[in-house]
Amino acid sequence: MTAHRRHKSSHLITALALGSLMALSACSSGASAVQAGADSVSDPKPGGNLRVGIVGGSAKDSLDAHAPVTHPDQARVIQLYDTLASYDNEHKIQMALADSITPSADATTWTVHLRDGLKFSDGRPLTAEDVIFTFRRITDPASPQSGASALSTLNRDALKATDSQTVVFSFSAPNSTFPDTAAQYSLGIVPADYDPKKPIGAGPFMMETFTAGQQSVFVKNPHYWQAGQPLVDKVTIIDFPDDTARVNALLGGQVDAIDQLPLGQVNVVKANPAMKVLESATGSWLPFTMRVDQEPFNDPKVRQAFRLIIDRQQMVDQVLGGHGTVGNDMYSPLDPCYPSDTPQRTQDIEKAKQLLAEAGKSNLTVDLVTSPVAAGLVEAAQVFAQQAKAAGVTVNVKKVDPGEFYGEQYLQWTFAQDFWFTRDYLSQASNSGFATSPYNETHWADQEWTELVTRAQATTDSETRCGLIKKAQQIEFERGGNIIWGFPNSVDAYSAAVQGLTPDKSGIPLTSFGFRNAWLNK
Amino acid sequence: MRRLLFRRTLFGLFTLWVVSLVVFLATQALPGDAAQAILGREATPERLAALREQLNLGGSLPEQYFGWLGQLLSFNLGTSLAGGTPVASAVGPMLLNSSILMLCAAVIAIPLAIGIGTWTALRKDSAVDHVTGIITLVLASLPEFVVGVLLVLLLATGVFHLFPAVFVLVPGEQVWSNPAQLVLPVLTLVLAVSPYIIRIMRATMLEVLESQYVQQARLKGLPERTVVLRHALPNAIGPVAQVIALQLAWLIGGVVIVEFLFRFPGVGFQLIDAVTNRDLPVVQALVIVIAIFYVAVNLLADVVTLAANPKVRTAS
């Protein structure tokens, strides 16, 4: 959630020219196909320098474990710092630095136990005191970090180490999703004397060099806790604000892997035997956000009508080039409690017109504020405006610069868009569902829903909790403020020499930037 | 002539001041401030407040502007809001890199274009002249990023794999340490700048070659070589110098797109980033440097024109 996703390149023409002409490249690089054919048989081979091109990057790049702001920051933070828990490729929580995270019966107290023999990259032991320092740093009221909002109920002064490997977390309200929070990449554990300028962590790699907006080089952490990892000696992360340059660098062999392959290039890269495309279905979502407390969306009938106007399959086909799945106005599709038996909502212009008429809002005109802050947002807005015409609704697409989008009006737009990576329901809800949530763009404050979700947060029994979540989802399905039309796949590309990158449901590119598992077959 | 230069320099300084004011007002007119631009999606009220505090944003517009101007006059460019480093140390290396890129392009493009222009003028209406005319016209009408993309396809990723398609600077090394990476950006700039110079050179040269004093020189029996080099060329250079100056001034603008396309770490690349981040001190510093370059190049062109034209040179 932290990173800015791809800023849609202004060089659309460039990309088109490149795309149409790059068929040539596919033909001419046939020679290298032979060596690439022998990839999948050999055993993991240690060593080498994995060079990765990541979208974005800027002078504002930072190595701070708890305040990643750009997309390459996210990739760097994941190399440098490990978290108490983490997600696997199926988006299931696994223990990481902690070997157990145990709740009290009412989920207001959590006990975290660290693995034996953990060390930071400089060889010092990682202890309970470091964990306490980390969480106090994140929630510092004078300088709240990226993870602070998810920890708003943490009693930071009551954090307590019962021995050198055990920390007790207490919360002012039940918090059944603490392991989920602890697995967010912006909550990496740092030593008690942490200085972002000398970024010591317990991640698979250590910093060698770092130039903001340019590139950074990481070397293997000899004290890494997972045996046999990482495999490569070095990882070089190179910032690429421009799509065309990133693809060119991959095709020209200057990098081994890139994230967020522009959709126009997918077939070109697939046709090249020396390259591979890494595509993963994810739970990321790109909603249209309707403010439920403002005209015209304060009438549930209008919200319902808008959800019936949209042709979801067409959105997925046109906006995502087919690289995605259709949504049903409910988020967290990978949550085990997702109500997948709810009938799929489909386009129904007649019903939409009827609902608008009932609401006295026929021939409605609305402004839709969009900005190229994530791939596909502007395109989605344009396609929606087209589809709305059929129902007599005029949607004026108001495209603004990212600076304006996140400016004074941020989180106040009446009808706008947003983007989220994969999250489980309760964690997502605490980010965007409550009146007190930091990113409640729809200004959702439904009392019945709030009670249900608050109860779910306090429920440790997973079956009871699932029942509550399903009910809450049903409420959002009926009268929520989001139009969730689809879940985009994450699409990356890499040279056939790179091994160990697998599909991953997080929505974070390149197997959640899991370079510790990657190795080079060259 | 000295008085003219003095006046021009004063006027140049005035231009710089106006530029700084306009840029300041323009960046103020952009929606959002540096804190919002840095935090982007994570701009929650609490984090915004904390960051604004850290960055010392605030103060009235005149206060901010005169604060900046005062610093500038004491040769202090301030601190980058996005990177937290002194502006001079952030901008300096980028400026050096861009200068190298532009210098390479200018050193290749100017003699080459003057040469080709003269050569085609001497072979007026021949096949070579027509082919050159068409090529320069096509190149002049193509935007430089199209030329760049075509070059990448031809020489880097597509037909041939001769040169790297993007610029990747190894930390601690200078841009010239891997000259192969410089080829495509320089070539793109050369192809973007040359056509205009070639065409104006050819046209001016034709005009000069038909003038009376050249005919006189020929009638006098001077060798054609001497006629062209001693008598025609110096008289053709004057108008061409103006076009070259314009092209050089254009270079620093064109370099923005070329740097973005090839991911070249220079001022253009940095300027785009600084504007996105609302990083006012960096934007101001870069724009002032670019404006100084503009003013200096134009001043230089005036001097060359004066020096090349005896009538103007001796008039006062």
Side-chain angles (χ1 to χ4, degrees):
Chain A
M1 176 205 87
T2 293
H4 298 236
R5 295 191 64 194
R6 173 154 67 95
H7 287 236
K8 185 72 187 153
S9 165
S10 55
H11 294 286
L12 184 62
I13 308 163
T14 318
L16 287 177
L18 196 69
S20 59
L21 283 165
M22 230 181 322
L24 276 172
S25 107
C27 304
S28 60
S29 44
S32 47
V34 182
Q35 65 191 57
D39 59 77
S40 51
V41 283
S42 57
D43 291 326
K45 211 168 11 178
N49 176 9
L50 178 68
R51 300 157 304 164
V52 191
I54 309 280
V55 67
S58 158
K60 67 183 178 184
D61 280 2
S62 102
L63 287 174
D64 193 312
H66 307 132
V69 283
T70 67
H71 209 70
D73 280 353
Q74 181 188 16
R76 282 186 281 263
V77 160
I78 289 173
Q79 309 316 314
L80 287 173
Y81 312 100
D82 264 16
T83 42
L84 294 175
S86 66
Y87 290 104
D88 64 12
N89 298 338
E90 295 296 315
H91 203 69
K92 298 271 171 298
I93 293 173
Q94 304 292 341
M95 289 301 113
L97 294 178
D99 55 13
S100 72
I101 302 180
T102 338
S104 63
D106 61 353
T108 54
T109 308
W110 286 82
T111 307
V112 171
H113 187 265
L114 295 170
R115 282 175 200 277
D116 296 333
L118 288 176
K119 280 178 180 166
F120 283 112
S121 58
D122 58 358
R124 289 182 298 164
L126 189 161
T127 66
E129 289 306 323
D130 300 310
V131 175
I132 292 177
F133 170 81
T134 299
F135 281 83
R136 287 205 175 130
R137 179 173 193 267
I138 293 165
T139 53
D140 183 356
S143 175
Q145 305 291 319
S146 176
S149 52
L151 293 167
S152 57
T153 54
L154 175 72
N155 293 329
R156 61 189 294 273
D157 298 323
L159 280 166
K160 190 169 79 217
T162 49
D163 62 54
S164 70
Q165 274 173 281
T166 314
V167 183
V168 179
F169 290 73
S170 60
F171 294 87
S172 57
N175 182 0
S176 63
T177 56
F178 178 62
D180 189 275
T181 307
Q184 301 298 329
Y185 59 82
S186 60
L187 271 77
I189 302 302
V190 295
D193 56 355
Y194 179 66
D195 174 5
K197 291 201 178 71
K198 282 180 238 126
I200 304 294
F205 293 93
M206 315 185 282
M207 189 198 74
E208 186 174 270
T209 61
F210 166 66
T211 316
Q214 295 291 324
Q215 61 178 310
S216 35
V217 181
F218 300 92
V219 291
K220 206 170 171 165
N221 172 4
H223 305 288
Y224 192 54
W225 61 275
Q226 301 215 57
Q229 289 184 347
L231 286 156
V232 292
D233 290 335
K234 270 188 185 184
V235 168
T236 305
I237 291 177
I238 307 173
D239 293 9
F240 278 96
D242 181 48
D243 280 348
T244 314
R246 194 166 74 258
V247 176
N248 281 341
L250 179 72
L251 294 174
Q254 288 172 284
V255 295
D256 303 306
I258 59 168
D259 71 340
Q260 298 187 34
L261 180 65
L263 294 174
Q265 313 282 336
V266 172
N267 288 332
V268 177
V269 174
K270 273 190 179 156
N272 186 336
M275 302 290 156
K276 286 189 170 177
V277 172
L278 179 67
E279 180 159 358
S280 324
T282 74
S284 312
W285 47 300
L286 307 171
F288 292 103
T289 54
M290 305 180 280
R291 266 186 75 167
V292 300
D293 60 339
Q294 273 191 352
E295 285 276 337
F297 302 112
N298 52 359
D299 188 336
K301 284 189 174 140
V302 176
R303 304 205 288 270
Q304 200 71 352
F306 270 56
R307 288 166 152 193
L308 290 168
I309 281 172
I310 205 159
D311 180 342
R312 292 149 204 267
Q313 190 57 50
Q314 194 185 33
M315 290 292 268
V316 170
D317 289 343
Q318 294 195 352
V319 177
L320 306 176
H323 299 275
T325 42
V326 165
N328 201 17
D329 295 327
M330 293 177 290
Y331 45 81
S332 305
L334 302 179
D335 190 292
C337 312
Y338 182 78
S340 41
D341 49 349
T342 309
Q344 174 64 50
R345 188 169 276 148
T346 51
Q347 191 184 36
D348 189 342
I349 298 291
E350 284 318 305
K351 185 85 192 294
K353 275 183 170 171
Q354 185 198 329
L355 283 165
L356 287 171
E358 283 171 22
K361 294 273 170 30
S362 297
N363 303 319
L364 188 63
T365 300
V366 290
D367 283 346
L368 171 56
V369 181
T370 186
S371 180
V373 291
L377 284 200
V378 177
E379 293 81 353
Q382 284 158 349
V383 173
F384 181 70
Q386 280 297 322
Q387 294 177 348
K389 279 184 191 160
V393 176
T394 312
V395 175
N396 296 321
V397 176
K398 226 179 102 189
K399 186 182 165 190
V400 300
D401 154 71
E404 185 173 357
F405 192 77
Y406 293 128
E408 298 305 328
Q409 281 278 86
Y410 180 44
L411 302 169
Q412 306 298 327
W413 305 108
T414 306
F415 188 33
Q417 284 166 292
D418 198 2
F419 64 95
W420 291 94
F421 289 133
T422 308
R423 271 166 188 273
D424 281 347
Y425 188 77
L426 290 180
S427 146
Q428 182 66 54
S430 69
N431 267 288
S432 59
F434 289 94
T436 51
S437 295
Y439 307 104
N440 188 346
E441 281 179 317
T442 61
H443 292 234
W444 176 247
D446 189 282
Q447 208 175 355
E448 190 187 349
W449 182 92
T450 307
E451 275 163 22
L452 278 170
V453 179
T454 312
R455 253 168 65 210
Q457 282 177 329
T459 309
T460 44
D461 176 59
S462 58
E463 216 163 295
T464 326
R465 194 167 64 207
C466 259
L468 294 165
I469 289 176
K470 284 203 165 109
K471 276 187 199 156
Q473 286 270 32
Q474 188 63 31
I475 292 175
E476 292 208 55
F477 178 75
E478 283 163 9
R479 53 178 191 261
N482 290 305
I483 307 177
I484 301 168
W485 52 269
F487 304 99
N489 293 348
S490 82
V491 185
D492 312 309
Y494 59 99
S495 138
V498 180
Q499 307 290 318
L501 295 175
T502 48
D504 176 270
K505 291 184 171 167
S506 66
I508 301 173
L510 293 166
T511 319
S512 294
F513 296 125
F515 305 138
R516 60 191 166 87
N517 289 311
W519 52 282
L520 295 162
N521 190 18
K522 39 177 175 188
Chain B
M1 182 172 152
R2 207 176 286 162
R3 226 176 55 213
L4 185 80
L5 275 181
F6 181 71
R7 271 214 330 260
R8 286 292 169 98
T9 313
L10 267 190
F11 187 72
L13 285 176
F14 177 72
T15 313
L16 288 180
W17 175 72
V18 172
V19 165
S20 84
L21 194 63
V22 167
V23 171
F24 178 79
L25 292 176
T27 42
Q28 292 302 321
L30 286 173
D33 67 4
Q36 282 165 334
I38 289 169
L39 288 174
R41 195 181 186 297
E42 301 231 332
T44 56
E46 301 80 35
R47 295 195 70 195
L48 266 182
L51 188 62
R52 282 189 177 134
E53 181 95 354
Q54 285 165 27
L55 294 179
N56 282 326
L57 298 180
S60 69
L61 286 190
E63 258 172 50
Q64 286 185 39
Y65 179 72
F66 287 109
W68 174 79
L69 201 63
Q71 277 188 340
L72 187 70
L73 291 179
S74 56
F75 296 101
N76 178 2
L77 292 170
T79 307
S80 159
L81 297 179
T85 46
V87 171
S89 68
V91 169
M94 298 291 179
L95 207 57
L96 180 69
N97 295 350
S98 285
S99 313
I100 289 164
L101 185 62
M102 286 192 293
L103 192 71
C104 289
V107 164
I108 295 171
I110 295 170
L112 189 76
I114 290 178
I116 293 177
T118 313
W119 190 57
T120 49
L122 293 172
R123 276 163 194 71
K124 189 184 168 217
D125 289 332
S126 69
V128 180
D129 181 37
H130 288 301
V131 171
T132 317
I134 292 169
I135 293 177
T136 51
L137 196 64
V138 169
L139 283 175
S141 58
L142 283 179
E144 61 280 5
F145 73 86
V146 174
V147 175
V149 168
L150 291 176
L151 283 177
V152 166
L153 284 172
L154 185 67
L155 300 174
T157 59
V159 188
F160 304 106
H161 294 263
L162 299 176
F163 303 108
V166 297
F167 201 95
V168 177
L169 190 64
V170 180
E173 282 191 7
Q174 301 297 338
V175 277
W176 55 84
S177 56
N178 188 350
Q181 297 199 119
L182 275 172
V183 172
L184 289 181
V186 168
L187 196 56
T188 308
L189 286 176
V190 167
L191 289 181
V193 192
S194 302
Y196 299 95
I197 308 179
I198 292 176
R199 294 181 77 83
I200 191 78
M201 188 65 210
R202 178 181 174 275
T204 324
M205 199 62 185
L206 281 178
E207 208 176 288
V208 173
L209 284 175
E210 275 159 21
S211 67
Q212 289 187 349
Y213 60 87
V214 169
Q215 302 216 341
Q216 182 68 35
R218 280 188 177 138
L219 286 174
K220 214 162 64 173
L222 286 178
E224 185 68 10
R225 216 182 124 84
T226 316
V227 174
V228 173
L229 293 181
R230 292 270 320 263
H231 298 278
L233 200 58
N235 285 296
I237 286 291
V240 174
Q242 295 290 341
V243 172
I244 291 177
L246 275 180
Q247 288 300 304
L248 284 180
W250 175 89
L251 255 187
I252 197 158
V255 94
V256 174
I257 291 161
V258 172
E259 284 180 2
F260 203 67
L261 183 66
F262 290 101
R263 198 191 162 276
F264 184 87
V267 285
F269 202 73
Q270 197 174 30
L271 187 58
I272 292 179
D273 189 45
V275 170
T276 316
N277 287 340
R278 308 286 187 262
D279 194 345
L280 189 63
V282 173
V283 173
Q284 286 277 33
L286 286 173
V287 171
I288 292 294
V289 167
I290 291 172
I292 289 176
F293 182 80
Y294 241 90
V295 170
V297 161
N298 279 305
L299 200 66
L300 201 67
D302 288 345
V303 175
V304 171
T305 312
L306 291 176
N309 188 337
K311 240 194 278 173
V312 184
R313 188 172 59 209
T314 51
S316 58

